[in-house]
Amino acid sequence: EAGVVQSPRYKIIEKKQPVAFWCNPISGHNTLYWYLQNLGQGPELLIRYENEEAVDDSQLPKDRFSAERLKGVDSTLKIQPAELGDSAVYLCASSLGIAGGEDEQFFGPGTRLTVL
Amino acid sequence: AQSVSQHNHHVILSEAASLELGCNYSYGGTVNLFWYVQYPGQHLQLLLKYFSGDPLVKGIKGFEAEFIKSKFSFNLRKPSVQWSDTAEYFCAVILPNTGGFKTIFGAGTRLFVKA
C-alpha cells in the first residue's frame, strides 16, 4: 500500500515569504497529524485532524500558521510570512483513528524547510 | 508540564553488544507508550507499542521494551545489536488531552553500531 506522501521534499525561501506543504495520508486513515521537527529534537505536534475537523490545534502558532483538510483527505499546512526560526522538518503522519490514540502513526518523509 | 525524557542523545556500540535506551515520562495517569525508529534516509516507523497487559512487549527486529509504572519508564532493549540497527530512536507517549489525546515525543537517541 502507498505510504504517506508529502511534497515538496525540500523548500528554500527567503524570510517573509509564504510557503505551503502538502500531505496525502494513507487511504482510509481518518486521523492526520502535522508535526514540526527541529534539528536534534523529536517531532512536536502542530495540529491533529479527525476527518476534516481540527481537534487539537493548541500548538499551532495561529498568527502565521494555518492548515486545512478539505474533504477529510489531503491536507495543506501554510506559513505566512515565514521567519528564520521556522527552518525545520515538517512531518505529516496519519492513522486509522482508533479512540484514545492507540493506533500506530505512519509518517511521511517530511519537508525540509530552510528560511534564509 | 508533561514531557518525555530520553537520557542518551548519542550511543555508540560495537556489534553484538547489548543495548538499553532509557525513556521516562512525566504524567501520573494512564498512558500509551511507543518506540519509533528512523533509519538513515527513511521515514519514522513503529518499533513497538504498549497499551496494557504484559509490561514486557516485543517488537520487530528483536527489540523489546519494559513498562515500569512505578518508575514512569519504558526502556528499549536488544540483547545483541547489529550494524543495521544504526538509526535514531524516539520514545513517544500518548496521554489524555484536548481533542481526546496528545502525542509527546522524546528528543531521540542516535545509535551508531560499529561493524
Side-chain angles (χ1 to χ4, degrees):
Chain A
E1 92 190 344
V4 176
V5 179
Q6 289 187 249
S7 68
R9 292 294 310 278
Y10 304 91
K11 188 73 176 180
I12 300 174
I13 60 172
E14 294 191 344
K15 63 181 180 182
K16 299 185 182 180
Q17 294 299 306
V19 64
F21 314 123
W22 176 79
C23 173
N24 186 22
I26 293 173
S27 177
H29 280 194
N30 297 322
T31 304
L32 184 145
Y33 311 75
W34 281 104
Y35 289 93
L36 164 72
Q37 186 174 20
N38 286 305
L39 190 64
Q41 299 294 320
E44 298 173 35
L45 182 71
L46 289 171
I47 190 169
R48 174 168 63 90
Y49 283 93
E50 297 290 345
N51 298 301
E52 65 274 10
E53 181 183 1
V55 295
D56 185 359
D57 63 356
S58 57
Q59 302 302 309
L60 188 74
K62 298 181 185 63
D63 56 336
R64 298 185 299 109
F65 286 65
S66 64
E68 59 183 14
R69 190 185 184 197
L70 301 176
K71 301 182 181 178
V73 182
D74 295 4
S75 178
T76 302
L77 178 69
K78 297 178 181 177
I79 309 175
Q80 182 169 11
E83 297 178 353
L84 294 176
D86 296 330
S87 295
V89 175
Y90 291 83
L91 294 169
C92 179
S94 70
S95 67
L96 284 169
I98 298 173
E102 293 183 356
D103 50 346
E104 174 184 355
Q105 295 180 33
F106 293 82
F107 285 82
T111 297
R112 184 176 294 278
L113 173 67
T114 301
V115 182
L116 302 176
Chain B
Q2 300 113 358
S3 63
V4 176
S5 298
Q6 291 186 239
H7 313 301
N8 309 98
H9 293 294
H10 296 90
V11 173
I12 301 174
L13 296 172
S14 296
E15 277 195 311
S18 63
L19 169 72
E20 181 159 3
L21 301 182
C23 173
N24 285 87
Y25 63 93
S26 59
Y27 179 73
T30 301
V31 296
N32 296 327
L33 298 155
F34 300 77
W35 276 97
Y36 283 86
V37 60
Q38 186 167 24
Y39 297 102
Q42 296 187 26
H43 310 177
L44 273 163
Q45 57 187 281
L46 183 70
L47 203 53
L48 50 77
K49 59 187 177 184
Y50 172 80
F51 300 145
S52 62
D54 189 344
L56 184 63
V57 293
K58 297 189 183 299
I60 60 171
K61 303 186 181 185
F63 285 90
E64 65 179 30
E66 183 175 14
F67 171 52
I68 303 180
K69 189 174 182 180
S70 61
K71 295 184 178 180
F72 302 94
S73 69
F74 189 55
N75 293 353
L76 181 70
R77 299 194 294 247
K78 185 170 184 178
S80 175
V81 295
Q82 302 173 312
W83 176 80
S84 58
D85 293 324
T86 294
E88 190 159 18
Y89 295 80
F90 293 92
C91 180
V93 171
I94 291 185
L95 45 84
N97 198 57
T98 305
F101 64 90
K102 177 180 180 180
T103 307
I104 303 176
F105 281 83
T109 297
R110 282 188 188 269
L111 171 66
F112 180 72
V113 180
K114 296 183 293 185

